[in-house]
């Protein structure tokens, strides 16, 4: 997915999940660097009482990362990539 087009809903969700995951890791890192007594893990703060739900959030963020590595193969994202990149990627229908 490129920065010019919006892409499909799925790629948007993937992007949001990666931002949430990235920000959360950033907060965890900041709390370690600043030697904070409490970890600023937002996901853990919000869902710490529900370990299974917390785990699912991490899992979904991880899946979103995997999705972003392979890229979305839907029509909307495919046409966008073809029109913007001159490198000529594979054009599967
Ligand atoms: Zn897509």
């Amino acid at each position: 997915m490129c920065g010019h087009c919006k892409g499909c809903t799925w790629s948007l969700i993937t992007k949001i999940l990666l931002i949430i995951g990235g920000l959360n890791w950033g907060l965890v890192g900041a709390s370690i660097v600043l030697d904070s007594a409490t970890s600023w893990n937002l996901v853990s703060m919000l869902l710490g009482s529900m370990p299974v739900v917390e785990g699912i959030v991490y899992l979904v963020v991880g899946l979103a990362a995997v999705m972003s590595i392979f890229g979305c193969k839907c029509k909307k994202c495919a046409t966008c990539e073809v029109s913007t990149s001159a490198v000529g990627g594979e054009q599967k229908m």
Side-chain angles (χ1 to χ4, degrees):
M1 195 186 130
C2 68
H4 303 287
C5 60
K6 281 180 185 171
C8 66
T9 313
W10 182 246
S11 64
L12 187 71
I13 292 168
T14 306
K15 200 177 178 184
I16 290 167
L17 284 169
L18 283 176
I19 291 168
I20 291 169
L23 286 175
N24 200 58
W25 276 120
L27 285 169
V28 172
S31 65
I32 293 169
V33 170
L34 297 171
D35 204 21
S36 168
T38 52
S39 177
W40 300 340
N41 189 329
L42 270 183
V43 179
S44 183
M45 277 181 196
L46 294 169
L47 305 165
S49 54
M50 297 172 283
V52 177
V53 182
E54 188 186 348
I56 289 169
V57 171
Y58 297 137
L59 192 65
V60 170
V61 171
L63 286 173
V66 174
M67 275 289 295
S68 75
I69 292 168
F70 292 105
C72 186
K73 300 290 182 212
C74 81
K75 224 175 204 175
K76 206 170 178 181
C77 296
T79 49
C80 162
E81 276 172 31
V82 169
S83 60
T84 48
S85 68
V87 195
E90 63 216 284
Q91 291 188 14
K92 283 175 191 166
M93 284 303 284

